[in-house]
Amino acid sequence: MKAFRLDELEAERAANEGAYLQFLRERNMSVGLYALNAGEHDPQKPHNQDEVYFVVSGRASITVGLETTEVARGSVVYVPAGVAHKFHHISEDLRVLVVFSPPES
Protein backbone atom coordinates (compact mmCIF):
# COMPACT_ATOMS: atom_id res chain seq x y z
CA MET A 1 0.00 0.00 0.00
CA LYS A 2 1.04 3.56 -0.66
CA ALA A 3 -0.66 6.31 1.34
CA PHE A 4 -0.22 10.08 1.12
CA ARG A 5 -1.23 13.18 3.07
CA LEU A 6 -2.20 16.27 1.12
CA ASP A 7 -0.48 18.63 3.56
CA GLU A 8 2.81 16.74 3.13
CA LEU A 9 2.44 16.66 -0.66
CA GLU A 10 1.73 20.40 -0.72
CA ALA A 11 4.82 21.07 1.42
CA GLU A 12 6.98 18.95 -0.90
CA ARG A 13 5.55 20.66 -3.99
CA ALA A 14 6.20 24.11 -2.50
CA ALA A 15 9.73 23.14 -1.44
CA ASN A 16 10.49 22.14 -5.03
CA GLU A 17 9.11 25.50 -6.23
CA GLY A 18 7.00 23.92 -8.95
CA ALA A 19 3.32 24.02 -9.81
CA TYR A 20 3.18 20.22 -10.26
CA LEU A 21 4.40 17.33 -8.11
CA GLN A 22 4.04 13.79 -9.39
CA PHE A 23 3.85 11.60 -6.29
CA LEU A 24 2.75 8.25 -7.68
CA ARG A 25 3.70 6.41 -10.86
CA GLU A 26 2.48 2.93 -11.67
CA ARG A 27 2.22 0.82 -14.82
CA ASN A 28 -1.20 2.16 -15.90
CA MET A 29 -1.38 5.60 -14.28
CA SER A 30 0.38 8.43 -12.54
CA VAL A 31 -0.96 10.88 -9.96
CA GLY A 32 0.17 14.37 -9.07
CA LEU A 33 -0.75 17.54 -7.24
CA TYR A 34 -1.19 20.66 -9.39
CA ALA A 35 -1.23 24.12 -7.80
CA LEU A 36 -2.15 27.49 -9.26
CA ASN A 37 -2.57 30.55 -7.08
CA ALA A 38 -5.34 33.10 -7.47
CA GLY A 39 -4.78 35.22 -10.57
CA GLU A 40 -2.10 32.92 -12.02
CA HIS A 41 -1.95 31.80 -15.66
CA ASP A 42 -2.22 28.07 -16.44
CA PRO A 43 0.55 27.22 -18.96
CA GLN A 44 -0.68 23.69 -19.79
CA LYS A 45 -0.64 22.25 -23.27
CA PRO A 46 -2.61 19.16 -24.36
CA HIS A 47 -1.27 15.88 -22.98
CA ASN A 48 -0.90 12.50 -24.67
CA GLN A 49 -2.82 10.82 -21.82
CA ASP A 50 -6.38 10.92 -20.56
CA GLU A 51 -6.66 12.96 -17.36
CA VAL A 52 -9.01 13.24 -14.43
CA TYR A 53 -8.88 16.35 -12.25
CA PHE A 54 -10.22 16.32 -8.69
CA VAL A 55 -10.34 19.80 -7.16
CA VAL A 56 -9.16 19.61 -3.55
CA SER A 57 -9.51 23.32 -2.85
CA GLY A 58 -9.92 26.66 -4.58
CA ARG A 59 -12.16 28.11 -7.23
CA ALA A 60 -11.66 28.67 -10.97
CA SER A 61 -13.06 28.04 -14.41
CA ILE A 62 -11.76 25.36 -16.75
CA THR A 63 -12.10 25.20 -20.50
CA VAL A 64 -11.80 21.79 -22.15
CA GLY A 65 -12.01 21.99 -25.93
CA LEU A 66 -14.89 24.41 -26.53
CA GLU A 67 -16.66 23.80 -23.20
CA THR A 68 -16.20 25.90 -20.05
CA THR A 69 -17.38 25.22 -16.52
CA GLU A 70 -16.70 26.54 -13.04
CA VAL A 71 -14.90 24.27 -10.58
CA ALA A 72 -14.49 24.31 -6.82
CA ARG A 73 -13.68 21.88 -4.02
CA GLY A 74 -15.12 18.47 -4.91
CA SER A 75 -15.36 19.05 -8.68
CA VAL A 76 -14.19 16.24 -10.96
CA VAL A 77 -13.33 16.91 -14.62
CA TYR A 78 -12.32 14.41 -17.31
CA VAL A 79 -10.04 15.61 -20.11
CA PRO A 80 -9.48 13.28 -23.09
CA ALA A 81 -5.95 12.87 -24.43
CA GLY A 82 -4.92 15.52 -26.95
CA VAL A 83 -7.68 18.03 -26.09
CA ALA A 84 -6.66 21.62 -25.26
CA HIS A 85 -7.57 22.63 -21.70
CA LYS A 86 -6.76 25.36 -19.22
CA PHE A 87 -7.80 26.60 -15.81
CA HIS A 88 -8.56 30.34 -15.83
CA HIS A 89 -10.26 33.04 -13.77
CA ILE A 90 -8.64 31.49 -10.70
CA SER A 91 -10.30 33.39 -7.86
CA GLU A 92 -9.03 31.22 -4.96
CA ASP A 93 -5.74 29.31 -4.77
CA LEU A 94 -6.35 26.08 -6.66
CA ARG A 95 -5.09 22.65 -5.58
CA VAL A 96 -5.97 19.76 -7.88
CA LEU A 97 -5.19 16.05 -7.85
CA VAL A 98 -4.41 14.90 -11.39
CA VAL A 99 -4.64 11.28 -12.55
CA PHE A 100 -3.01 10.45 -15.90
CA SER A 101 -3.69 7.20 -17.71
CA PRO A 102 -1.43 5.86 -19.05
CA PRO A 103 1.27 7.46 -16.85
CA GLU A 104 2.48 10.91 -17.82
CA SER A 105 5.67 10.67 -19.86
Side-chain angles (χ1 to χ4, degrees), residues 32-100:
L33 177 64
Y34 189 44
L36 293 167
N37 293 327
E40 267 191 296
H41 169 74
D42 181 1
Q44 292 192 79
K45 295 188 168 84
H47 305 285
N48 295 323
Q49 305 83 3
D50 288 342
E51 292 177 83
V52 173
Y53 289 117
F54 173 73
V55 178
V56 176
S57 63
R59 197 171 283 283
S61 294
I62 186 170
T63 298
V64 178
L66 300 175
E67 296 181 88
T68 298
T69 191
E70 292 185 17
V71 294
R73 188 178 69 128
S75 296
V76 178
V77 177
Y78 167 68
V79 179
V83 175
H85 58 285
K86 292 213 184 288
F87 290 99
H88 52 92
H89 296 97
I90 302 167
S91 58
E92 295 176 16
D93 292 354
L94 195 61
R95 299 299 181 264
V96 181
L97 287 178
V98 184
V99 179
F100 286 99

